[in-house]
Amino acid sequence: MSHSIYRVSSQRSLKVNDAAVSSRLWFERTQHCVFLAFAALAALAMVMVSAVRADESLPTRVPTATIEQMKSVITAQIDAFLAEDAEAAYAFASEPIKRRFSTPNRFVSMVQRGYPVVYSPQSFS
């Protein structure tokens, strides 16, 4: 009889031990998750502080000469589209665009299909 009691008490102690182990594992996992969340928040805070510092170093105003130059390029390219001058329109394209659309005709075709309002605007400002 004492042998069966030993089994019962042994099973109970196993259950108690399992609960303790389970509780300890839960605590360790929770502690790990809290640490990861804190680390992620700290990293986010560092990124935000860096962004604010970077933003402070940027000029707050684009120089008027730069704006005028940009307007001039845009106007000239749209004028080239309106005149159906593929060579002139292509000349104003950026280098990455020129690499992607290797000929003036391919470039103009892409603009006609993808940006019809740019290719033949009724007006622009």
Side-chain angles (χ1 to χ4, degrees), residues 31-96:
Q31 188 177 24
H32 184 71
C33 288
V34 168
F35 173 76
L36 288 176
F38 179 78
L41 286 173
L44 180 62
M46 288 172 43
V47 168
M48 291 175 68
V49 167
S50 297
V52 168
R53 286 185 182 157
D55 190 40
E56 291 172 354
S57 66
L58 293 176
T60 56
R61 192 166 160 81
V62 177
T64 304
T66 303
I67 292 171
E68 293 306 316
Q69 186 179 18
M70 292 165 59
K71 286 180 182 180
S72 172
V73 169
I74 293 167
T75 300
Q77 188 174 47
I78 290 179
D79 287 344
F81 286 134
L82 290 172
E84 297 183 3
D85 186 349
E87 296 283 333
Y90 185 71
F92 292 105
S94 68
E95 289 306 315

